[in-house]
Amino acid sequence: MSFCVAIDGPAAAGKGTIARAVAARFGFAHLDSGLLYRAVGRRSLAGEDPVEAARTLDARELDDPALRTPEVAEAASRVAAMPQVRQALVDFQRAFARRAGGAVLDGRDIGTVICPEAEVKLFVTASDEVRARRRHAELRAQGREVSLAQVAADLRARDSRDAARAIAPLRRADDAVLLDTTAMSIEQALEQAIGHVRAAMCRSGCSGAGSDARG
Ligand code: C5P
């Protein structure tokens, strides 16, 4: 049986952390859909045509730590505005969302475009300042010297482009639960997310594979 958890939101809001924890807790597979766009963005930086890159993407590329840089994130956001790039990546994501045993996907358009019938939809956000601080700390931990102001400007530019594009813009689905993590610890955010998933599983009969009814 399939069971899809769709987690969307702006950059550095905590989607990835929540998605990984939900997947681990319920035994679901996890896809960070941003990595698909990052892999295409990375290839475009190397001179490849983005549409061709999207059509020939190999899932093994997604494990490359080089996808985690701000330069690749910026390139990802540019190629993600191209309709043919998005189209080339749809089937893979939809198949992933409906795999047996349950799936968690995080991104920008999972609840609106990729899996509009998802059993759970969360829109995870946080204030601009908190998101910039979190991303800044992550980059510092990777040994990157970058100012907080620069990180904040990069996030702002990327979010504006993602929200303004004509196709599959960053947007909260009408039926998505809003999770504002600005004033929450990671534990509190995870507890809320897991609570929403557990409630949805019970509504659908507590019968999903990997179901977890622990309190
Ligand atoms: O989530 P992450 O920051 O890795 O995403 C990188 C970029 O990929 C985003 O800024 C966005 O432009 C694009 N993206 C997208 N749709 C998704 C996931 C990511 O357009 N579902």
Side-chain angles (χ1 to χ4, degrees), residues 23 29 39 66 75 81 121 125 131 135 153 164 174 190 203 206 212:
K121 292 186 193 178
T125 189
R131 291 187 296 112
R135 182 52 48 90
D174 295 337
L190 295 183
R203 278 196 301 277
C206 285
D212 179 336

Side-chain angles (χ1 to χ4, degrees), residues 84-104:
Q84 288 169 295
V85 165
R86 303 199 74 85
Q87 191 52 44
L89 300 174
V90 163
D91 288 350
F92 175 76
Q93 294 176 85
R94 290 205 172 130
F96 193 98
R98 282 298 159 214
R99 65 201 279 156
V104 185

Side-chain angles (χ1 to χ4, degrees), residues 34-62 64 66-67 69 71-77 79 82 85 88-89:
L35 289 177
L36 301 171
Y37 296 93
R38 284 175 183 254
V40 174
R42 179 156 184 245
R43 287 221 225 153
S44 79
L45 287 175
E48 200 173 325
D49 171 57
V51 177
E52 198 48 34
R55 288 183 180 149
T56 57
L57 205 62
D58 182 326
R60 281 171 299 190
E61 289 173 51
L62 306 184
D64 189 339
L67 300 184
T69 68
E71 296 76 18
V72 171
E74 169 71 16
S77 168
V79 299
M82 300 175 181
V85 165
L89 300 174

Side-chain angles (χ1 to χ4, degrees), residues 23 92 94 105 124 162 197:
F92 175 76
R94 290 205 172 130
L105 287 82
V124 181
D162 290 346
V197 176

